[in-house]
Amino acid sequence: MNIVVFSGNIASDIELKYTQSGIPVTSFNLAVRRPGAKESVTDFFLIVAWRSTAEFICNHFQKGDGIEVQCIATTRKYEDKNHNRRTATEFVADRVDFGKAKKPREPEPQENNVANEQNYTQEGFTEYDGDDLPF
């Protein structure tokens, strides 16, 4: 069985890219605290996401956010620019969920519109008694 589950914080910027055939992909480093260590130790893992999972991550997460990721571990062989054979281990995201927030975000300013609680007024509303509802 090849299932890996991480809970950590996104440690790099996330960017949605596309393969030559138009498939969405993203990758990022995930900072995960090592449990049981005498001192605080953080490991960094390369997470790769494809298709709708990549789009979801790019639309809902950014650097510093907490994330929980279920992955499969993969290895690939490649040749570096000096023609040395290398092996890379990557974790391909299968499922993601929101994790613990690292720090609270500033609330986004709201525009002045009817949906803003501060702008509700009684003007323009008609009050109905139970049986007088227009539907």
Side-chain angles (χ1 to χ4, degrees):
M1 185 176 334
N2 183 353
I3 298 173
V4 181
V5 179
F6 293 112
S7 181
N9 293 88
I10 298 172
S12 59
D13 291 327
I14 301 173
E15 181 182 353
L16 188 63
K17 297 180 181 180
Y18 295 89
T19 65
Q20 289 180 348
S21 57
I23 298 171
V25 62
T26 192
S27 63
F28 59 92
N29 288 312
L30 183 65
V32 179
R33 294 189 72 192
R34 189 179 303 174
K38 289 182 181 180
E39 295 180 21
S40 180
V41 177
T42 302
D43 294 302
F44 293 86
F45 300 99
L46 179 61
I47 308 295
V48 178
W50 295 90
R51 297 177 177 77
S52 61
T53 304
E55 292 172 327
F56 179 81
I57 291 169
C58 289
N59 288 331
H60 293 92
F61 294 93
Q62 64 184 14
K63 183 177 180 179
D65 285 347
I67 188 171
E68 294 178 358
V69 186
Q70 179 178 305
C71 307
I72 60 169
T74 62
T75 59
R76 63 181 172 84
K77 297 182 186 298
Y78 68 98
E79 193 173 287
D80 68 14
K81 63 182 179 181
N82 296 324
H83 305 289
N84 297 314
R85 289 183 164 197
R86 303 282 184 180
T87 301
T89 301
E90 300 171 332
F91 297 91
V92 179
D94 184 20
R95 295 173 55 182
V96 297
D97 201 353
F98 297 96
K100 190 187 306 185
K102 182 176 181 180
K103 59 183 176 184
R105 288 195 185 141
E106 293 292 320
E108 294 183 18
Q110 294 190 4
E111 297 178 20
N112 290 332
N113 58 32
V114 176
N116 189 336
E117 279 185 43
Q118 299 167 355
N119 292 333
Y120 282 122
T121 65
Q122 292 294 327
E123 294 176 35
F125 290 96
T126 306
E127 196 169 309
Y128 291 98
D129 260 344
D131 293 332
D132 293 338
L133 292 176
F135 50 88

